[in-house]
Amino acid sequence: PANIFGADPHKHTLTATVLDCRGGALGTRSFRVSGEGHRAMEAWALGFGPVERWGIEGASGLGRHTAMYLAQRGHDVRDCSPNRTNERRRARQQGKTDASDSLRIAREAQADPAMPRAFKRAEGDAGPDETAELLALWHKARRSLLKSRQHILNEAENLFCDLPLETRELLPRTKEVKPRLFALARLDRSGVVDAPTRLRLRLLESYAEAVAELDVKEKEAVRELTRLTKKSGSTLDALRGIATRSAAELLVETGDPRRFCSEGGFARFNGTAPVPASSAEGDGEPVRHRLNRGGNRRVNAVLHIMAVTQLRHDERARRIFDDARRRGHTKKEAMRVLKRHLSDVVYRHLLADFERRLAAPKIDARRVA
């Protein structure tokens, strides 16, 4: 039987633990996050014998370089979520050290053979290609821009509430902040004598400039996401209710769709599959289910928007919803039935697009040049 490896990575160092097949710790040691450190770490771990799984906490974050090195060496690298080790530590009221964290990561990797592979890949896939990485980077940049813009709009709303009533009455009567920000720039402020009010107006003017700049950057990110989504060969935007930005989010959050193995696996991943909630089951007794509040909520939100759109404009979606209502489901339950159906549709598109991309002939850039 092979051993299990667990690593707790940081910016400049990582601490690793190797377990035997029975869960006993064979050794714990710290290494530098560098080429030399990774080579020493691999040699040290394999010195105890073959390693079946390599668990890295945050393989897409601080553990990215370590996970990439191991994946390129052909090892089975798993991504251990920090939430798993945090829950185990709190439940047992244990302290926190790098050594104890690496031990918990190794035990999580040993206890769960189905732990996700690093970089959202399937078995045998070494990692994302250039287009997938660019998609993830632009998607993350756009989300950051949207958060920054929302923070500025919230600050502007607070300043609007503090303006004198006679100034506020000159602004458009809307709950939206952006129209009031841009309308404020056109107001005559020569009669303002109050120093705090002048400062508030100046701050609001700077907020309007910042929002306009963020809007330009967000449009650039959307253009790049559109270009990269088309380059990836995705057909998701052909589905009703999925915009290009939603298609990009699905591609980034899903990664390699083969890692789910089935439509049910993808539904559990995105939270559209109900959770079994039965007790004292017997012959002929129904298996009860309850709403799944877990899963990837970003993908779940995309599927919800898709369901709402199709319910308004697609006859097949309306038939699925109405059939669920006739079977006694409430409106919310019928919407969940529709989302579960759409989850299968999206998964089949993701899988077909991925397999088509793998089957496409590789173009040698040197021969083209």
Side-chain angles (χ1 to χ4, degrees):
N3 300 326
I4 301 295
F5 173 92
D8 179 31
H10 297 278
K11 288 183 179 180
H12 305 294
T13 63
L14 66 90
T15 301
T17 296
V18 178
L19 303 180
D20 61 21
C21 61
R22 296 172 297 178
L26 298 175
T28 300
R29 187 174 168 185
S30 296
F31 301 90
R32 296 286 299 176
V33 177
S34 64
E36 182 180 353
H38 286 150
R39 288 189 290 272
M41 174 199 71
E42 182 187 22
W44 170 79
L46 294 177
F48 296 105
V51 176
E52 181 179 1
R53 286 189 297 278
W54 303 70
I56 309 295
E57 185 177 67
S60 296
L62 291 175
R64 175 180 176 82
H65 296 294
T66 304
M68 287 181 65
Y69 171 82
L70 293 172
Q72 290 170 357
R73 300 281 291 177
H75 298 300
D76 184 1
V77 186
R78 304 302 180 98
D79 186 2
C80 181
S81 171
N83 293 335
R84 301 175 67 138
T85 54
N86 288 340
E87 290 173 1
R88 180 184 289 269
R89 185 179 68 247
R90 287 195 298 267
R92 300 188 177 185
Q93 297 182 349
Q94 297 173 336
K96 174 178 172 57
T97 64
D98 291 345
S100 62
D101 281 347
S102 65
L103 176 62
R104 280 188 282 266
I105 293 164
R107 285 182 172 159
E108 286 291 337
Q110 186 173 51
D112 184 11
M115 180 180 287
R117 286 180 168 80
F119 309 116
K120 303 177 182 178
R121 299 289 100 185
E123 184 177 0
D125 193 340
D129 57 14
E130 182 180 278
T131 302
E133 285 203 275
L134 288 173
L135 260 174
L137 286 170
W138 277 110
H139 176 66
K140 185 177 180 180
R142 179 176 176 269
R143 291 184 61 86
S144 178
L145 290 170
L146 294 178
K147 288 181 180 178
S148 298
R149 184 173 64 184
Q150 189 58 52
H151 175 74
I152 292 174
L153 293 176
N154 291 341
E155 292 291 326
E157 179 64 49
N158 292 332
L159 288 178
F160 275 126
C161 294
D162 295 334
L163 288 176
L165 289 177
E166 54 270 19
T167 303
R168 292 170 56 182
E169 290 174 354
L170 298 175
L171 301 176
R173 294 183 177 275
T174 176
K175 293 182 179 179
E176 299 294 328
V177 180
K178 286 175 62 176
R180 286 180 284 161
L181 267 179
F182 297 135
L184 190 66
R186 299 189 295 268
L187 290 181
D188 182 13
R189 286 173 267 176
S190 59
V192 177
V193 294
D194 185 9
T197 301
R198 285 200 303 271
L199 178 57
R200 290 188 183 100
L201 293 174
R202 191 164 74 244
L203 290 174
L204 286 169
E205 184 178 359
S206 66
Y207 286 164
E209 295 173 355
V211 168
E213 183 178 354
L214 289 172
D215 285 343
V216 172
K217 292 181 178 179
E218 197 259 341
K219 289 179 181 178
E220 179 190 3
V222 171
R223 284 196 301 268
E224 289 297 324
L225 287 173
T226 302
R227 181 183 66 83
L228 291 168
T229 301
K230 292 180 179 179
K231 184 179 178 180
S232 70
S234 174
T235 60
L236 288 173
D237 54 359
L239 296 173
R240 180 167 291 179
I242 295 186
T244 303
R245 288 166 289 184
S246 298
E249 184 150 34
L250 286 171
L251 292 173
V252 171
E253 296 295 333
T254 301
D256 188 343
R258 298 174 301 173
R259 66 192 179 106
F260 300 111
C261 301
S262 66
E263 296 172 350
F266 181 67
R268 288 189 292 274
F269 161 74
N270 59 48
T272 57
V275 178
S278 294
S279 180
E281 297 176 10
D283 294 337
E285 293 292 330
V287 178
R288 299 175 180 83
H289 295 80
R290 62 173 175 82
L291 172 64
N292 186 353
R293 299 188 182 277
N296 189 306
R297 305 316 295 176
R298 294 178 183 175
V299 177
N300 192 282
V302 171
L303 293 174
H304 181 78
I305 295 173
M306 184 183 180
V308 171
T309 304
Q310 290 207 8
L311 196 56
R312 295 174 180 172
H313 305 288
D314 190 88
E315 293 182 2
R316 189 162 184 264
R318 172 54 67 177
R319 287 198 301 270
I320 294 172
F321 182 86
D322 292 341
D323 182 60
R325 291 285 287 146
R326 282 192 295 270
R327 296 199 305 269
H329 291 288
T330 65
K331 289 183 178 180
K332 287 185 177 180
E333 291 170 345
M335 180 61 76
R336 293 172 196 144
V337 171
L338 177 58
K339 286 172 64 177
R340 178 65 180 83
H341 166 76
L342 294 178
S343 171
D344 293 348
V345 173
V346 168
Y347 175 73
R348 290 193 290 267
H349 270 261
L350 285 167
L351 196 59
D353 293 342
F354 193 89
E355 292 176 347
R356 190 184 308 112
R357 188 161 60 251
L358 290 179
K362 303 297 182 182
I363 299 176
D364 192 340
R366 293 172 296 181
R367 300 174 74 183
V368 172

